[in-house]
Amino acid sequence: MNTNNLPALITPSILSADFSKLGEEIRQVTGAGADWIHIDVMDNHYVPNLTIGPMVCKAIKKIAKIPLDIHLMVENVDLLIPEFSRSGADIITIHPETSKHLDRTLSLIKDCNCKAGLALNPASNLQVLDYIMDKIDLILVMSVNPGFGGQKFLPMSIKKIKDVRTKIDEWSLKDGHNFIMLQVDGGVNIDNIAKIRSAGANAFVSGSAIFESGNYKETINAMKMEIQKSDDLKLNYE
Ligand code: DX5
Ligand code: ZN
């Protein structure tokens, strides 16, 4: 698949930001070229960590000039979807295990006027996608086990990204079918982003690699350049 004509979005995860100056961090990362702000919502039930809720999302919305990409890692997910929509979410991504009736939950996200994403954990297979492709705008391939920032990218994720890319391409070939983005989350950095791109990703979540770098602009630019290099290589090869 030629990924060159796919958008390449950098979506910094604020999980690794300095929460004592969150507004300033968001302004800085936006000025540095971020495309979306990725917000990791964890409830200490579905994942062993506790982060932020709709109130914080609402506060971020007041200052954010780019879309808010909400990654829900919570149980009873249906209760929180309308809350996050009211708090300014643009994209809401859920994990299939957190919904009793997945088709209904994805419709709920759309009814709330948000883009709907579905996240696949490292050991999950792709079967869950088979009958809901028409309901989603984004597939998120988790390249770490969800719960914490700063983990190492799991190498098997590359095969997973390629498999999901094939599935999306087969789907999109048919007339009238929706466009689906492929986002990758966990351990993404300057060194591996080209490989992730050439496997077929077009949205890249990155937390620690951006927020722990001394210079957000330099880091995001370097990521975009690596993506461009990978696209150029592919063009020459094809
Ligand atoms: C993990 C989260 C990720 C994480 C990314 O559960 O979904 O978004 O914060 O952080 P890094 O890039 O540090 O792996
Ligand atoms: Zn995330």
Side-chain angles (χ1 to χ4, degrees):
M1 154 77 188
N2 184 351
T3 44
N4 299 54
N5 51 6
L6 294 175
L9 307 184
I10 303 290
T11 64
S13 159
I14 59 163
L15 197 56
S16 296
D18 181 344
F19 277 73
S20 70
K21 48 171 185 164
L22 190 54
E24 184 48 31
E25 292 275 70
I26 285 164
R27 279 190 198 96
Q28 274 199 27
V29 91
T30 304
D35 295 289
W36 295 350
I37 298 290
H38 184 86
I39 303 181
D40 288 305
V41 178
M42 306 182 183
D43 67 348
N44 195 36
H45 290 275
Y46 178 61
V47 290
N49 199 357
L50 187 62
T51 59
I52 58 186
M55 273 167 62
V56 177
C57 177
K58 199 171 187 172
I60 293 172
K61 189 68 180 179
K62 281 193 199 152
I63 58 142
K65 295 197 162 53
I66 53 178
L68 299 187
D69 172 29
I70 311 298
H71 180 186
L72 291 183
M73 289 161 275
V74 299
E75 284 178 7
N76 295 322
V77 72
D78 290 356
L79 294 175
L80 281 176
I81 289 167
E83 276 292 316
F84 272 97
S85 158
R86 282 193 289 272
S87 305
D90 295 281
I91 303 107
I92 297 182
T93 296
I94 61 159
H95 287 249
E97 309 81 16
T98 64
S99 165
K100 284 201 179 96
H101 305 284
L102 184 57
D103 183 274
R104 182 181 286 154
T105 300
L106 292 168
S107 297
L108 175 63
I109 298 176
K110 307 288 256 190
D111 290 347
C112 289
N113 290 319
C114 291
K115 300 266 186 213
L118 193 69
L120 300 173
N121 286 334
S124 308
N125 64 44
L126 308 194
Q127 239 170 7
V128 67
L129 298 170
D130 280 349
Y131 303 106
I132 48 90
M133 290 291 272
D134 61 332
K135 291 260 161 54
I136 52 176
D137 302 287
L138 178 149
I139 297 170
L140 169 52
V141 173
M142 289 300 303
S143 40
V144 298
N145 287 294
F148 302 95
Q151 303 180 76
K152 255 186 122 87
F153 183 90
L154 293 166
M156 277 298 276
S157 314
I158 293 292
K159 174 174 161 32
K160 183 81 152 285
I161 298 163
K162 287 181 179 162
D163 290 347
V164 173
R165 169 50 56 204
T166 304
K167 206 163 177 92
I168 292 176
D169 288 350
E170 281 168 10
W171 172 259
S172 318
L173 274 179
K174 311 236 168 66
D175 270 356
H177 278 182
N178 45 310
F179 176 73
I180 301 176
M181 297 197 58
L182 200 174
Q183 187 177 47
V184 176
D185 184 6
V188 176
N189 57 42
I190 298 172
D191 297 327
N192 59 20
I193 201 164
K195 203 168 176 197
I196 297 168
R197 171 62 166 183
S198 76
N202 58 331
F204 306 83
V205 178
S206 179
S208 50
I210 293 175
F211 284 103
E212 287 172 18
S213 75
N215 187 323
Y216 303 164
K217 199 178 183 110
E218 260 177 35
T219 305
I220 292 176
N221 277 346
M223 286 177 167
K224 290 190 171 173
M225 273 167 62
E226 285 297 312
I227 289 169
Q228 189 59 54
K229 266 199 256 167
S230 147
D231 288 357
D232 292 346
L233 265 177
K234 224 168 188 177
L235 253 190
N236 290 335
Y237 182 71
E238 278 166 358

